[in-house]
Amino acid sequence: MPKIKQSPKLPPEQRRKQLLGAAQRLFVKKGYRGTTTEQIARAARLTKGALYHHFKSKEDMLLALVENMLSEFSIRVGPLKEKRFTPGEFTRTLIEVHEKDNYAEFRNLMDIWVQAMRIPRIRRYLESFYEEALEMFADHVDTAYGKTRRERLAVGAFTFAFLDGLATRKALKPTSVDTQEQLKLYARLIECVKRQD
């Protein structure tokens, strides 16, 4: 086997990004279970020792990828926490993230996501993140969309389900959904909830 010629010494954070980029490409191409740490190290042009210096296991790499994906959500909704937002504003903000994404890549990332949910430690992390996001929604959504916290949590759960479904549909066939039309329909449905109170 030819010896790997490693790139010059890089700061630890850049080296981690290099490894995660290689892991993501391989997980997309071969699946999480079908990818070995040796393959990841080779794709990153590093040794297995270098890989294990930055990550304890392949599972830790998958968790880091999931954390990176979810950090975009946190960045996008951060400014919304400065005020009371409507469910429509929240939804529009997150749809803008998906509109800018490459949907072919998003389809591949969905596979990584599904594989991640099969690992108990990562599934618990995802569940915890979802619960925190739902709590944030209930804390900051305009109270006209739910007088009680329980009602606002229900509107939040509906909103996240709508966004997940829309993203999945767009990932399967980007031309099958007119996002702006779906957003208008969502807004009308939410206004019905508001009027019932």
Side-chain angles (χ1 to χ4, degrees):
M1 222 179 253
K3 204 169 184 184
I4 295 174
K5 185 177 178 187
Q6 292 189 159
S7 55
K9 190 160 178 71
L10 293 173
E13 196 50 44
Q14 284 184 334
R15 193 62 85 196
R16 283 176 59 88
K17 283 182 183 176
Q18 181 181 356
L19 285 160
L20 288 176
Q24 182 171 321
R25 288 188 301 276
L26 286 168
F27 292 166
V28 164
K29 184 177 179 181
K30 302 175 80 153
Y32 173 76
R33 285 183 168 69
T35 300
T36 66
T37 54
E38 185 171 331
Q39 291 167 334
I40 295 168
R42 284 198 160 285
R45 301 189 51 78
L46 297 170
T47 63
K48 272 178 73 172
L51 182 148
Y52 285 117
H53 175 74
H54 295 282
F55 296 96
K56 291 179 184 174
S57 65
K58 184 172 72 165
E59 187 176 300
D60 283 346
M61 296 182 87
L62 183 57
L63 177 58
L65 286 171
V66 167
E67 288 171 341
N68 287 347
M69 290 178 207
L70 292 175
S71 71
E72 181 67 21
F73 169 88
S74 299
I75 290 166
R76 292 294 178 152
V77 301
L80 290 178
K81 292 193 241 179
E82 303 299 318
K83 60 181 182 129
R84 287 280 180 190
F85 56 76
T86 68
E89 289 172 314
F90 181 85
T91 306
R92 193 173 298 106
T93 298
L94 293 183
I95 283 177
E96 287 171 4
V97 174
H98 291 301
E99 289 294 298
K100 292 174 186 165
D101 284 344
N102 174 337
Y103 280 101
E105 182 179 326
F106 183 73
R107 279 193 293 273
N108 295 330
L109 292 177
M110 283 178 66
D111 184 51
I112 293 173
W113 201 260
V114 168
Q115 292 178 61
M117 287 190 289
R118 292 182 177 143
I119 299 169
R121 175 172 73 122
I122 299 176
R123 187 176 56 248
R124 283 191 302 274
Y125 173 80
L126 290 168
E127 289 168 356
S128 173
F129 187 90
Y130 172 75
E131 289 303 319
E132 287 175 23
L134 201 52
E135 294 289 332
M136 182 281 299
F137 183 96
D139 288 342
H140 297 283
V141 72
D142 190 315
T143 54
Y145 296 91
K147 290 185 175 104
T148 68
R149 182 168 185 74
R150 185 169 182 235
E151 289 171 344
R152 293 190 304 276
L153 286 168
V155 171
F158 176 73
T159 299
F160 285 114
F162 169 77
L163 285 163
D164 290 343
L166 187 60
T168 301
R169 191 75 219 132
K170 290 284 281 185
L172 292 171
K173 188 175 180 188
T175 59
S176 69
V177 177
D178 179 333
T179 307
Q180 294 309 311
E181 280 300 312
Q182 292 297 313
L183 191 53
K184 287 177 193 171
L185 177 60
Y186 169 80
R188 287 198 307 264
L189 287 169
I190 289 296
E191 285 305 310
C192 289
V193 169
K194 182 181 173 185
R195 283 195 299 270
Q196 284 182 347
D197 288 337

